[in-house]
Amino acid sequence: MILERTIRQLDTGPMPPDAARQLGQLGYMQWIAALPGRASYRRLALEAQAKAAPFAEASPAVAVFCALLAESLAAPLRPLDLRMPPRRRQGGASARRARRLPL
């Protein structure tokens, strides 16, 4: 299921706050994009929060994910502050060649 996969991807241990924010937001967007169209958002968000909460203390990215879920359930409803990470160069062809494993 996508929720378990998202939690596994986010549960990477300690990291800088900005990286945790970016990863947690991407995890939230991945999770919400996979929700069925007619599903109860509130029920699924509470379920996701309950499953992710045990990992939040050890993983800042999971904590951000849980905070976004809690914020999305709070009344009155308001837009979440979600942003895609800034684009950055990955190094191009020379970096890909350097990462290649020897045969």
Side-chain angles (χ1 to χ4, degrees):
M1 178 171 207
I2 193 72
L3 175 59
E4 288 79 12
R5 180 177 166 200
T6 300
I7 293 170
R8 275 194 317 274
Q9 289 172 332
L10 296 177
D11 188 21
T12 58
M15 66 179 64
D18 192 48
R21 180 188 55 77
Q22 288 178 7
L23 192 58
Q25 287 182 355
L26 286 172
Y28 177 80
M29 288 185 263
Q30 173 179 289
W31 171 78
I32 198 168
L35 294 180
R38 298 230 179 247
S40 165
Y41 175 81
R42 181 168 187 73
R43 182 181 59 78
L44 292 175
L46 289 170
E47 177 184 309
Q49 201 172 28
K51 286 187 179 179
F55 303 94
E57 189 174 322
S59 178
V62 176
V64 169
F65 177 71
C66 288
L68 285 167
L69 289 168
E71 188 178 344
S72 72
L73 293 168
L77 295 177
R78 62 181 191 275
L80 297 175
D81 182 22
L82 298 174
R83 298 181 197 151
M84 293 297 291
R87 294 181 66 111
R88 61 184 170 93
R89 292 188 50 87
Q90 300 290 321
S94 61
R96 282 192 303 279
R97 283 191 293 274
R99 286 192 302 258
R100 257 193 244 164
L101 297 174
L103 298 175

